[in-house]
Amino acid sequence: MLARRLAPLLLLFLALTAPAATPAAATPEDRLAPLFAELKRDLPPERVGEIEAEIWSIWAAAPPGRSDIELLMEAAGDMIRHEEFGKAVVALDEAINLAPDYPEAWNRRATAHYHAGDYAASIADIARTLELEPRHFPALAGLGMINMSLGRMKEALANYEAALAINPHFRAAKLHAAALRELLKGEPT
């Protein structure tokens, strides 16, 4: 009898003293979505820089538990900085083989191909980057740079405008788009 009366109190005590359930870890998308939404607002330049840096840090993070990919990405970054583009491509090939759904490996390899002058390979890697992360505004700007280099100014303008639709504060895209609009003024559409 006493046990029946105490059972509700025991349950209440257990509920009040039990550790709170830990929320699931935020996914990259959970972290990116509000950042992209905030980029659409009128923001001071310092806040734009903070948001862009945070987006880059999320994109650049290797898949969880993959220190091998992190090392390959760091090595490839160093190789690109030292203009060792062929070596960078080899390192990034390996990163992509290990994590084919990691957009930043594709984007970085696109960069290495671009600097090596292999625009076709760069375009293919940008396409894959954008399949995996359609909001990758720097990849769109990279495509704009390639199209400018190839003399395809209307396509380049479309690329920069697409980047600006995602990040209206993206300074490089603003400058290139403005210059291309001026260059194309009076041209048939």
Side-chain angles (χ1 to χ4, degrees), residues 34 53 62 94 105 114 135 170 176 189:
E94 183 61 23
Y114 171 80
R135 299 166 300 195
F170 191 21
H176 286 295
T189 53

Side-chain angles (χ1 to χ4, degrees), residues 159-174:
N159 299 140
Y160 289 120
E161 288 175 339
L164 289 168
I166 297 164
N167 179 1
H169 306 280
F170 191 21
R171 189 170 190 277
K174 278 183 181 182

